Amino acid sequence: MARSKQRILMMSKLSHYKELVDNFINELAQIKRFPPIFQEALFYTPKSGGKRIRAMLVMCAADMFGADETKSLHIASAIELMHAYSLIHDDLPVMDNDDFRRGKPANHKVYGEDLALLVGDGLNTYTFNVIADAPIDDARKVKIVKWLSNNAGIGGMVVGQVVDVLSSRDRLKGHSHKKLVNFIHKHKTAKLIQASVVCGAICGNPDDVQLDRLAKYGLYAGVAFQIIDDYLDVVGDEEKLGKKKVDEINNTLTYPKVYGLKRSYDIAQKLKDMAILQIKDIKGSKELIDIAKLIVERDR
C-alpha cells in the first residue's frame, strides 16, 4: 500500500511538471509571428502532446540539486522544442517517410515538406533563445548550451541520424551491425536524454562526481528508451503508438533485428538497472529512478 501511494505521488509530481511545460510552450505559441501559417506550423508538433520524458528528466534532476521549477522550466521546455525539431525532420520523406506522429498527421503532411523543413530549423535555433531567457546565471547557461549543442548536434543526435540513414541505405557496408546499432542508439536517442538530465542538474549545484554519474544514468536510460521503441515497433499497437511501424519498411537497424526480440528486451532491462545503480545513493533520486523504470515498462 505504501509503495502504491508513493508511486501515485511520483506520478502526480511528473504530471505537474508535464503540465508546466505544456502551459509554457502554449504561451510561447501565443507570441505573434509573420506569416501566421508559420506560427501555426512552428508549434504544431511541440503542442501535439507527447510524454515529455525529457522535460521531466530536466526538472527532476534540477530538483535533486536544489533548483526549483522556476529555474528549470525554461530548460525543460527548450529541450522539448529541440526534440520536436528532430521529430519533424525524422518524419520527412527523405528520412523515415512517416505520415503520422503521436496519432496525428506529421508536420509535413499538414504544412508541406518545405515549411516543415524550415520549421525544424526554426525550432532548433529557437531552443537556445529560450535557454538564454532562463532565470539562471550566465555561467550555468554556457554549460547547458555546451552540453545541449553537442548532444543534439554533431556529437550526438545529428551524427546518430547520419549513421542511421547511411546504414539503412546500405552505404556503410563492412561495418558490424552490432556496432552500428549501438552507435545509432547511443547518439540518435540517448545523447539528448543524457543532456536533459545533465542540463537539469546544472540548474542546481551538483559536484563533478554526481554530474558524471547522472551523465552515465542518462546514457544507459537513453539507450534503453530506444531499444523499447524498437521492441514496440514489433509487438506494440499502432493506435497506441500513434504512428505506423516503419522500421522494417525503411530497412532500419534496430535491436530486435540485430539481437532478436527477447534479448533486446533483456538488454533494455539490464541498462535500466545500470542507470539506477549510478544514482540510487544520491539524495533525491527517487523520481529519476522511477522514470528509468517507466521507460522500459511503457506500451507506447
Side-chain angles (χ1 to χ4, degrees):
M1 182 70 178
R3 180 178 289 183
S4 177
K5 185 176 181 181
Q6 191 175 45
R7 187 174 178 84
I8 290 170
L9 289 173
M10 183 273 294
M11 292 303 294
S12 177
K13 187 171 186 177
L14 296 184
S15 295
H16 171 63
Y17 288 156
K18 182 180 184 303
E19 183 179 3
L20 286 176
V21 171
D22 286 344
N23 291 339
F24 188 89
I25 289 175
N26 285 335
E27 288 176 13
L28 293 178
Q30 299 307 310
I31 300 171
K32 299 298 181 184
R33 293 175 179 82
F34 180 82
I37 189 68
F38 175 61
Q39 177 171 339
E40 183 182 312
L42 191 66
F43 286 94
Y44 174 79
T45 302
K47 288 172 62 179
S48 66
K51 295 175 284 294
R52 304 294 193 208
I53 290 287
R54 292 155 190 80
M56 291 175 185
L57 288 168
V58 171
M59 300 189 79
C60 287
D63 185 56
M64 276 178 67
F65 295 103
D68 63 35
E69 58 197 32
T70 61
K71 291 186 176 180
S72 61
L73 181 56
H74 278 72
I75 310 305
S77 301
I79 287 180
E80 284 295 322
L81 297 181
M82 180 67 78
H83 178 50
Y85 127 71
S86 74
L87 299 180
I88 292 168
H89 280 192
D90 206 35
D91 289 339
L92 288 169
V94 73
M95 302 289 274
D96 280 358
N97 193 25
D98 207 329
D99 292 348
F100 290 92
R101 174 69 64 175
R102 296 168 178 165
K104 300 177 182 178
N107 200 293
H108 70 276
K109 298 302 293 184
V110 179
Y111 300 102
E113 294 174 34
D114 46 4
L115 193 53
L117 180 67
L118 293 166
V119 160
D121 292 342
L123 289 171
N124 185 353
T125 49
Y126 189 41
T127 291
F128 297 103
N129 190 274
V130 173
I131 291 171
D133 287 337
I136 54 177
D137 62 81
D138 289 347
R140 283 183 170 85
K141 289 179 187 176
V142 169
K143 290 179 181 178
I144 288 168
V145 166
K146 186 170 183 178
W147 264 95
L148 184 56
S149 60
N150 178 73
N151 283 33
I154 61 173
M157 190 166 65
V158 170
V159 72
Q161 185 71 69
V162 167
V163 175
D164 189 17
V165 167
L166 293 178
S167 64
S168 69
R169 288 149 172 79
D170 293 323
R171 292 168 65 186
L172 290 175
K173 292 179 180 179
H175 293 272
S176 159
H177 281 186
K178 287 184 179 180
K179 287 183 179 180
L180 288 175
V181 77
N182 289 328
F183 183 95
I184 292 166
H185 283 35
K186 177 182 176 181
H187 291 80
K188 182 180 174 181
T189 301
K191 285 277 194 169
L192 187 59
I193 287 175
Q194 180 188 57
S196 301
V197 182
V198 171
C199 291
I202 290 171
C203 293
N205 293 292
D207 60 38
D208 290 342
V209 173
Q210 290 169 330
L211 207 60
D212 180 64
R213 289 168 65 184
L214 279 170
K216 290 175 181 174
Y217 160 90
L219 213 56
Y220 295 144
V223 175
F225 185 97
Q226 186 57 53
I227 293 173
I228 294 300
D229 259 12
D230 292 353
Y231 179 83
L232 291 174
D233 200 75
V234 178
V235 306
D237 184 289
E238 282 191 354
E239 189 172 337
K240 282 185 178 180
L241 294 173
K243 59 181 181 179
K244 288 184 178 181
K245 299 177 181 181
V246 297
D247 285 346
E248 192 63 35
I249 297 170
N250 292 334
N251 192 35
T252 303
L253 274 182
T254 67
Y255 262 71
K257 186 174 182 178
V258 175
Y259 290 94
L261 204 57
K262 183 183 183 304
R263 191 176 174 203
S264 295
Y265 188 78
D266 290 344
I267 292 171
Q269 294 289 343
K270 183 178 180 180
L271 286 166
K272 176 259 296 180
D273 292 339
M274 291 169 64
I276 291 171
L277 186 63
Q278 289 296 324
I279 61 167
K280 68 177 185 178
D281 61 346
I282 301 178
K283 184 180 178 181
S285 63
K286 181 67 175 67
E287 281 81 16
L288 289 185
I289 290 171
D290 285 327
I291 290 174
K293 293 176 181 177
L294 286 174
I295 282 173
V296 298
E297 292 171 2
R298 63 198 167 94
D299 60 2
R300 62 187 180 89

